[in-house]
Amino acid sequence: MRYETGCVNRLGNRASNQDRLTAIESDDGVLLVLADGMGGLEQGEIAAQAVVDVASELYLNSPRPVPDTGRLLCDIIHRSHDKLIEDLSADQEHSSFGTTAVLCLIQHGEAHWAHVGDSRLYLFRGGRTIYRTRDHSYVESLYQQGLIDDEERSRHPRRNQITQCIGCTRYRPEVALATPIALQEKDVLLLCSDGLWDPVRESELADLLGCASTLEESMELMADRAENSAYPNADNISVVALRFLKCLGRRRPVELVRERPAPEKLESAIDQIQQIIHEYEKEMDR
């Protein structure tokens, strides 16, 4: 499989960077991971880093190619959650920190993804968005119920209030798991925190993908746009992306070119077939 990756992680106008991201590569694929931590200055960082650490451990120690991708992605999220709440006492229902996460595993030319919270995955094809994850957020639920429109959703004062979280509570989060999709040449998978998607419109992200010679340069342009649009209140800005180029492992089987029989061999073969048919018909008449 041939692909190009790019990533950007910026502080924005915050005192600390609580976002974590990585691209974990193997001979059989690549796992993209992005987490946006929440909590105190260090606690959010710890929560986000836990997702990256667990993802790396489970993926690199799994059989590859991964036979059950959905199970792996859910295991990463659930084990990260368990790790974050392991110190809760029996009477505690909530922890003081947590994180969102979005994961995408690409193998055999297919993308498999899962998410919790409002960190997003976009799939761009032919210069436009053909898919994005649905946020686990209060405002997204209002939009899905038809109570607000797209414009109200983008400027709602509670647009960053999430409804699912890794950590945060004793109970494991509900994982949104997508149906795998076959990638086409030049498709771009983009994972980002709300520091990118909140100040930059979806259509702008698609446009910026075509404004640079490399994927990483496009990511830098996106981060610049987010920082400038949100200044002086820019959040941490994180994005990791993959441009799919070619799948070397899923080529069509090579069709063997067989020699055509010479005319005399062909006539002989026809005679033999006709003889077999004649003998069969005689046998059936008996």
Side-chain angles (χ1 to χ4, degrees), residues 16 42 80 82 97 107 133 153 157 164 230 242 260 268:
S16 66
E42 294 183 356
S80 300
D82 295 346
F97 61 101
Q107 62 178 21
T133 50
R153 177 174 60 171
Q164 295 291 328
L242 178 145
R260 293 186 178 182
S268 175

Side-chain angles (χ1 to χ4, degrees), residues 85-118:
I85 66 162
E86 62 185 2
D87 293 330
L88 285 183
S89 61
D91 60 342
Q92 285 183 292
E93 292 293 331
H94 302 277
S95 67
S96 59
F97 61 101
T99 183
T100 68
V102 57
L103 316 168
C104 183
L105 174 61
I106 303 98
Q107 62 178 21
H108 290 325
E110 290 185 340
H112 311 251
W113 60 82
H115 82 283
V116 170
D118 63 355

Side-chain angles (χ1 to χ4, degrees), residues 215-236:
L215 190 57
E216 184 121 16
E217 289 173 352
S218 294
M219 306 298 100
E220 294 287 355
L221 292 174
M222 291 178 184
D224 288 343
R225 182 71 58 86
E227 280 191 314
N228 293 333
S229 297
Y231 181 83
N233 299 306
D235 196 356
N236 302 152

